[in-house]
């Protein structure tokens, strides 16, 4: 078996791989976390090993499952929900919505915590982003939704002749047996999904890419966004706190004057998303997985 550090850095494409790595991290972290404080519903932890202090990403108390036994139990319930979705069941309780958010959040956050503890920070950020994209793609594939990463090749003229701008999509989902979009077109029945662990410094690209794709293909393109969270650690006069990285005014200005997305979904919803008008555009990931994606694919 690979070491935990090696496993965290490996590409994953099977849902069982995500369950296994989460269980390994949950078993590991109680032995190494020795500093802990709570701030507005988030746990802020650090590890001191052999004189080396490492801080881990804050995790939300009502979403993160710290016990490996409880996680495995709830993961079993999560699998049952996935099977019900495959059987075209669409009615779920609020507890089941929360369970989906909690299990998926725990998987992603556990991988991030493990990488924080074991991998150099720049490399850790890259792997966290890669695992997030792989997790969402794997969940969609597991639901038998056709997916594909498409790179649009957009030409522009220069003195040296035509050049091409590569407009990469994170994933396109389709109601068909296979994705019909390609390097020169986006099928109008398909949906572009933007996957970002956080919108910090990335929000403009989500909206601008939608405008660019629509101008290039000559028709409306449906785009949704999915993020893990928009929070970060912040030290204020020696006290460790949590700060939001969600730029709410920018989101609404882009939504009103630039382009409107089909929806933006979070594993850990920003508090601002509970207020109007944000709650008309920003939702929990469970709403996407259990309800909205099926309506989008079968309007």
């Amino acid at each position: 078996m690979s070491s935990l550090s090696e496993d965290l850095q490996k590409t994953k494409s099977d849902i069982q791989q995500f369950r296994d790595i989460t269980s390994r991290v949950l078993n590991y972290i109680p032995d190494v976390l020795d500093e802990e404080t709570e701030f507005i519903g988030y746990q802020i932890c650090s590890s001191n090993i052999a004189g080396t202090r490492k801080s881990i990403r804050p995790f939300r108390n009502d979403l993160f499952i710290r016990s490996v036994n409880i996680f495995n139990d709830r993961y079993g319930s999560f699998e049952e929900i996935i099977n019900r979705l495959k059987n075209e069941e669409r009615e779920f309780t609020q507890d089941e919505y929360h369970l989906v958010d909690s299990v998926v959040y725990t998987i992603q956050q556990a991988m991030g915590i493990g990488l924080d503890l074991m991998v150099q920070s720049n490399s850790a950020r890259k792997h966290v982003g890669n695992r997030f994209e792989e997790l969402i793609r794997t969940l969609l594939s597991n639901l038998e939704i056709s997916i594909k990463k498409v790179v649009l090749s957009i030409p522009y003229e220069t003195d040296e002749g035509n050049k091409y701008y590569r407009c990469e999509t994170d994933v396109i989902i389709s109601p068909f047996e296979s994705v019909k979009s390609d390097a020169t077109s986006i099928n109008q029945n398909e949906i572009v999904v933007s996957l970002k662990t956080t919108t910090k410094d990335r929000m403009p690209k989500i909206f601008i890419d939608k405008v660019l794709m629509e101008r290039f293909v000559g028709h409306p393109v449906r785009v949704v966004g999915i993020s893990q969270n928009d929070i970060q650690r912040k030290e204020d006069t020696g006290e460790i706190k949590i700060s939001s990285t969600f730029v709410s005014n920018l989101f609404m200005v882009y939504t009103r004057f630039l382009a409107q997305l089909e929806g933006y979904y979070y594993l850990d919803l920003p508090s601002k998303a509970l207020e109007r008008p944000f709650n008309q555009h920003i939702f929990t990931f469970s709403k996407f997985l259990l309800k909205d994606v099926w309506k989008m694919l079968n309007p």
Side-chain angles (χ1 to χ4, degrees), residues 30-297:
D31 297 329
V32 295
L33 297 183
D34 51 15
E35 292 182 9
E36 193 164 331
T37 186
E38 192 270 345
F39 184 78
I40 58 169
Y42 288 87
Q43 215 65 20
I44 308 171
C45 305
S46 299
S47 168
N48 281 289
I49 300 177
T52 300
R53 184 175 186 273
K54 289 197 172 185
S55 300
I56 68 167
R57 61 201 57 230
F59 55 85
R60 187 166 144 181
N61 287 326
D62 64 345
L63 284 175
F64 190 70
I65 307 167
R66 298 186 72 166
S67 163
V68 67
N69 291 331
I70 294 174
F71 170 75
N72 286 329
D73 180 64
R74 292 182 184 171
Y75 186 89
S77 299
F78 173 74
E79 283 187 315
E80 291 176 8
I81 291 172
I82 295 298
N83 288 330
R84 287 161 60 190
L85 282 170
K86 289 181 183 179
N87 291 325
E88 301 187 2
E89 186 174 338
R90 300 291 182 260
E91 296 296 325
F92 298 94
T93 67
Q94 287 303 308
D95 285 345
E96 288 170 328
Y97 272 83
H98 179 75
L99 184 140
V100 167
D101 285 323
S102 181
V103 168
V104 179
Y105 176 84
T106 299
I107 292 171
Q108 179 61 30
Q109 202 72 344
M111 291 189 293
I113 290 169
L115 287 161
D116 288 339
L117 291 168
M118 297 185 167
V119 179
Q120 192 271 338
S121 59
N122 288 337
S123 180
R125 280 193 291 271
K126 175 185 174 183
H127 284 293
V128 167
N130 289 342
R131 297 300 86 77
F132 179 66
E133 291 185 15
E134 292 159 9
L135 173 60
I136 303 303
R137 290 193 192 107
T138 299
L139 287 172
L140 294 171
S141 292
N142 204 249
L143 288 169
E144 300 172 354
I145 295 173
S146 300
I147 69 168
K148 182 181 178 182
K149 182 170 183 173
V150 172
V151 180
L152 284 175
S153 186
I154 302 177
Y156 61 95
E157 294 180 358
T158 72
D159 290 341
E160 301 171 351
N162 277 353
K163 302 282 187 180
Y164 291 87
Y165 170 72
R166 290 167 52 86
C167 182
E168 295 190 29
T169 64
D170 293 321
V171 66
I172 289 180
I173 59 176
S174 175
F176 308 117
E177 288 188 9
S178 61
V179 174
K180 296 186 177 182
S181 300
D182 55 30
T184 60
S185 66
I186 300 290
N187 186 281
Q188 293 193 60
N189 293 302
E190 297 177 340
I191 302 159
V192 176
V193 182
S194 176
L195 302 173
K196 306 285 185 275
T197 53
T198 172
T199 64
K200 182 183 179 183
D201 303 325
R202 298 169 186 172
M203 188 184 294
K205 179 172 171 51
I206 299 166
F207 288 89
I208 292 169
D209 276 358
K210 173 177 165 65
V211 174
L212 179 60
M213 287 186 287
E214 290 181 338
R215 295 282 179 88
F216 176 58
V217 301
H219 61 73
V221 174
R222 294 187 292 165
V223 176
V224 303
I226 301 175
S227 285
Q228 179 184 359
N229 58 27
D230 261 319
I231 57 131
Q232 63 183 11
R233 293 171 65 110
K234 177 184 178 182
E235 292 203 22
D236 185 10
T237 61
E239 184 180 0
I240 300 175
K241 298 181 179 180
I242 301 294
S243 66
S244 172
T245 57
F246 175 64
V247 187
S248 57
N249 57 353
L250 196 61
F251 180 88
M252 286 312 306
V253 167
Y254 283 158
T255 296
R256 183 172 179 185
F257 296 106
L258 191 60
Q260 187 162 320
L261 308 178
E262 299 300 306
Y264 208 97
Y265 301 87
Y266 279 90
L267 301 185
D268 175 11
L269 202 64
S271 58
K272 202 75 174 176
L274 302 175
E275 304 172 9
R276 289 181 59 87
F278 305 99
N279 61 4
Q280 300 171 41
H281 306 279
I282 304 171
F283 314 99
T284 59
F285 175 70
S286 59
K287 185 173 184 290
F288 173 77
L289 202 68
L290 301 184
K291 183 178 181 181
D292 289 357
V293 67
W294 310 104
K295 290 184 176 180
M296 293 176 194
L297 292 174

